[in-house]
Amino acid sequence: MPTEINWRNYLRVFEMIPFGVFIRNSVIVTTLAVIGELLSASLVAYGFARLRFPGRNVLFLVLLSTMMIPYPVTMIPSFILWVRGLNMANTFGPLVLPPFFGPAFSIFLLRQFMKGIPDGPVPFHFPA
């Protein structure tokens, strides 16, 4: 156990490690991923919840079946795709682009929510 506390060590950590860059990168990746997921998942979920088209139930079943594939099964092929196929190693691309393709779980949750919203105008009555 140390006999005295050396407060300069805390300052040295911030001088040695660029926490500002780490926080900036985290904010950029998080913001772009959230925007991408909200845009894509809400558009697809609206299509499944409100639009009537042939094969809608089959497509939704295919979407749900993708949630049953364990991530380790797709991890190495995804890595090979990003590194060799798209040549995007050490970039923000693999972190930011997948949410723009609509994660299945988000689409499922938003579809269920949108199906609960009534069609047409809802009458509003002021309480007496």
Side-chain angles (χ1 to χ4, degrees):
M1 295 295 297
T3 56
E4 64 182 56
I5 297 175
N6 189 352
W7 295 103
R8 288 184 313 161
N9 290 337
Y10 291 101
L11 295 175
R12 286 182 51 209
V13 167
F14 287 100
E15 293 169 358
M16 294 171 63
I17 300 173
F19 281 108
V21 174
F22 298 159
I23 291 172
R24 184 196 69 205
N25 290 346
S26 297
V27 168
I28 290 170
V29 168
T30 303
T31 303
L32 290 175
V34 166
I35 289 170
E37 188 160 340
L38 281 174
L39 284 174
S40 63
S42 60
L43 289 174
V44 174
Y46 181 82
F48 279 129
R50 297 290 185 201
L51 303 179
R52 307 284 178 241
F53 56 91
R56 178 183 67 150
N57 292 334
V58 173
L59 282 175
F60 190 66
L61 188 65
V62 169
L63 176 84
L64 288 180
S65 66
T66 63
M67 291 184 354
M68 296 178 206
I69 301 171
Y71 179 69
V73 171
T74 62
M75 188 168 41
I76 292 176
S78 295
F79 177 78
I80 292 170
L81 172 73
W82 289 111
V83 172
R84 294 185 189 159
L86 300 174
N87 204 16
M88 295 186 83
N90 297 322
T91 65
F92 285 154
L95 300 173
V96 172
L97 292 178
F100 278 91
F101 294 105
F105 188 68
S106 300
I107 293 170
F108 171 73
L109 284 180
L110 280 170
R111 174 192 175 263
Q112 295 304 109
F113 170 76
M114 289 179 183
K115 283 183 77 77
I117 300 173
D119 292 335
V122 178
F124 179 75
H125 301 287
F126 288 104

